[in-house]
Amino acid sequence: MDNCIFCKIAEGEIPSNTIYEDEDFRVILDISPANIGHCLVIPKKHFKDITEIDSEILSKGIKIAQKTAKAQKKALNADGVNILQNNGESAGQTVNHFHIHVIPRFKGDDVVIEFNSKEHSNEEFAEIKEKIAKELQ
Ligand code: AMP
Ligand code: ZN
């Protein structure tokens, strides 16, 4: 896709700190890392987000994220890893080309990943359960 920075990075037209590459994916270091070693798993083909990505490419991508997490744990001695994946502006997506964040974590680090929890009545839970379950049939 024209003018998509991650298309250009994934295809190697724009340089990046690449840590892995195959025919379908490139894994790079995030330019503004949340923590040391923060990686992005980027498909070479352009998909806007998780609702549009080809499911086989998605399966391959999550496996590469798993391998990346294992590599981070070994290489950086990370205690944990966050896998994040934002879809849509309201969800914090700033680059509209699907990608998976793989963020190494260390005990006592200052990374903040949080959300406030909402409260629902039992009736509200039942209603929302029905609505979403219906769409999953
Ligand atoms: P998101 O907010 O989920 O869309 O994440 C986009 C991520 O891409 C952010 O963490 C940015 O720091 C990162 N990013 C943007 N431009 C570049 C770039 N040229 N090279 C590496 N990472 C980038
Ligand atoms: Zn793209």
Side-chain angles (χ1 to χ4, degrees):
M1 206 177 112
D2 291 348
N3 280 328
C4 171
I5 189 166
F6 278 8
C7 279
K8 290 181 178 145
I9 287 174
E11 290 298 344
E13 287 169 35
I14 293 179
S16 62
N17 289 303
T18 296
I19 61 166
Y20 172 83
E21 184 183 3
D22 64 25
E23 58 186 314
D24 295 319
F25 279 89
R26 185 183 291 267
V27 181
I28 67 167
L29 290 179
D30 195 298
I31 205 165
S32 306
N35 223 0
I36 184 170
H38 178 166
C39 292
L40 300 173
V41 179
I42 306 174
K44 290 189 171 176
K45 204 169 161 199
H46 182 92
F47 301 100
K48 184 164 73 79
D49 62 20
I50 196 160
T51 65
E52 297 197 353
I53 190 169
D54 173 87
S55 62
E56 279 191 20
I57 298 283
L58 176 62
S59 301
K60 190 169 176 192
I62 196 69
K63 285 180 186 159
I64 293 171
Q66 181 191 38
K67 280 187 185 169
T68 303
K70 287 181 180 177
Q72 288 171 336
K73 288 190 89 168
K74 276 194 184 162
L76 305 173
N77 216 16
D79 304 301
V81 178
N82 286 112
I83 304 289
L84 295 180
Q85 202 280 303
N86 301 325
N87 301 282
E89 197 181 340
S90 63
Q93 184 176 14
T94 58
V95 178
N96 291 322
H97 176 129
F98 177 92
H99 52 280
I100 303 170
H101 295 260
V102 187
I103 305 173
R105 299 298 304 270
F106 305 87
K107 280 194 184 78
D109 68 23
D110 59 359
V111 177
V112 179
I113 296 171
E114 65 177 7
F115 45 84
N116 300 320
S117 52
K118 304 263 186 287
E119 288 190 12
H120 290 309
S121 65
N122 287 343
E123 289 74 22
E124 285 168 329
F125 275 119
E127 190 187 329
I128 203 71
K129 180 187 76 175
E130 286 304 318
K131 268 190 182 169
I132 299 172
K134 204 169 140 206
E135 294 300 330
L136 266 175
Q137 299 293 319

